Amino acid sequence: MRYENATAIVTGGGHGIGRALAEALAGRGANVVVADVNIERARRVADRIGGLAVPCDVGDPDAVTALVATAADHYGPVDIAVSNAGITDLGPDLDSTPDQVRRIVDVNLLAHVWMAQAVLPSMIDRGHGALIQTISSAALITGPSGMGYTLTKHGALGFAEWVTLNHSADGVRVVCLCPNAVYTGFLGRDEDREQDGPTPLDPKLAALGEVIEPEDCATCALDALDAGRFLALPHPRVGESFARKAADYDAWLRRTAPRVRRIRGQIGA
Ligand SMILES: NC(=O)c1ccc[n+]([C@@H]2O[C@H](COP(=O)([O-])OP(=O)(O)OC[C@H]3O[C@@H](n4cnc5c(N)ncnc54)[C@H](O)[C@@H]3O)[C@@H](O)[C@H]2O)c1
């Protein structure tokens, strides 16, 4: 992948994994558009890396189209689109309201579609381009996450496979970043208040196992892009569990159900 002077967009780039990806892309010479629903956060990151901050709610298809147009006007056609913004469940699983379910579907699943629709035509015309989708281990091995989160991440992985199967011959590469636990806003971190160092991890989250840093995700995703790998797995045990699941789906479901219930009880999910 050529990064020098490439145009990159990172959604949810104001915090956590998106922030780390924006920094890593800028560090490799890309011109980065930092898009976030929280414009203050986007501005702080963009100022630090010499990029452009753009407010964007990725659940709104018109906002994603406008974001891509702004990036192209400012830096030239988009070479690398990082569709990263995501949210956790807004409601109590099966009892979530239709609006709560629709919102997580909009942000965690359909946003990938709006981004691909906006960037792919130009990538196909030019014969190159990359989509990095921040998905989750929850797409490969359903774990203790909520109902809406699990269904949207599975859908996002299916969409990424579809794009790869249909457009890799056009020069479009797709990387699916599927981490397990990462120390970000999802786990209570607030980088906006970290002038004196990282906020400590809540001890009850130890039940989630190895908790990695956002920078580990950024390195893993760009390594996968450089190596032409579809999956970027910063927690290698996710790949091992995925292989065990594929080898015997029923045994995997039987083994995993009590573990998931235990962890959900421990973390109060
Ligand atoms: N942290 C984890 O343990 C973990 C694990 C697997 C996958 N992920 C995925 O990583 C991605 C990034 O999350 P994170 O962990 O860095 O969380 P985070 O909360 O630290 O950062 C998310 C950023 O996205 C922004 N955002 C939220 N909704 C948005 C919207 N509608 N439009 C634009 N921006 C929006 C937020 O303002 C925030 O800056 C998500 O897709 C998440 O599902 C996280």
Side-chain angles (χ1 to χ4, degrees):
M1 187 74 209
R2 187 186 57 77
Y3 295 96
E4 194 64 38
N5 290 323
T7 302
I9 293 178
V10 183
T11 67
H15 200 272
I17 298 169
R19 187 266 309 152
L21 274 158
E23 289 175 350
L25 287 163
R28 294 181 186 211
N31 297 313
V32 182
V33 176
V34 182
D36 205 293
V37 73
N38 181 333
I39 187 61
E40 292 311 316
R41 285 180 158 178
R43 280 206 190 99
R44 260 198 299 275
V45 175
D47 287 351
R48 215 164 48 232
I49 65 175
L52 177 72
V54 176
C56 178
D57 176 349
V58 299
D60 173 358
D62 293 338
V64 176
T65 307
L67 165 67
V68 171
T70 303
D73 285 349
H74 207 80
Y75 291 130
V78 176
D79 302 296
I80 304 167
V82 183
S83 189
N84 163 83
I87 54 175
T88 50
D89 279 79
L90 303 167
D93 294 322
L94 277 180
D95 293 330
S96 299
T97 65
D99 282 347
Q100 288 170 328
V101 176
R102 283 193 196 101
R103 179 65 180 159
I104 195 167
V105 169
D106 283 343
V107 175
N108 284 13
L109 173 57
L110 295 179
H112 296 295
V113 179
W114 314 143
M115 179 61 82
Q117 286 184 335
V119 298
L120 247 66
S122 158
M123 289 181 178
I124 293 167
D125 278 352
R126 289 175 293 134
H128 83 268
L131 304 182
I132 298 177
Q133 324 265 43
T134 305
I135 305 187
S136 170
S137 60
L140 296 165
I141 43 164
T142 301
S145 305
M147 180 270 296
Y149 192 80
T150 301
L151 80 90
T152 55
K153 295 295 182 177
H154 275 261
L157 185 70
F159 176 66
E161 286 180 5
W162 184 91
V163 172
T164 305
L165 294 176
N166 286 279
H167 292 291
S168 56
D170 299 317
V172 176
R173 282 148 72 177
V174 183
V175 170
C176 291
L177 172 62
C178 293
N180 201 274
V182 189
Y183 188 31
T184 69
F186 271 45
L187 301 193
R189 185 171 185 174
D190 184 353
E191 294 175 355
D192 306 340
R193 296 167 186 265
E194 287 194 348
Q195 291 85 350
D196 303 323
T199 20
L201 183 70
D202 183 339
K204 77 176 178 183
L205 296 172
L208 295 174
E210 185 193 7
V211 179
I212 62 171
E213 294 292 327
E215 286 72 14
D216 300 321
C217 289
T219 304
C220 182
L222 297 189
D223 284 353
L225 182 58
D226 292 338
R229 280 196 310 274
F230 178 72
L231 280 181
L233 301 177
H235 298 82
R237 71 188 163 83
V238 170
E240 292 155 18
S241 298
F242 184 48
R244 281 197 295 275
K245 170 179 162 178
D248 189 340
Y249 216 146
D250 292 305
W252 178 85
L253 287 166
R254 274 194 304 276
R255 264 199 321 273
T256 306
R259 191 181 140 264
V260 161
R261 284 199 301 273
R262 176 176 52 76
I263 296 175
R264 283 176 72 82
Q266 274 172 309
I267 64 175

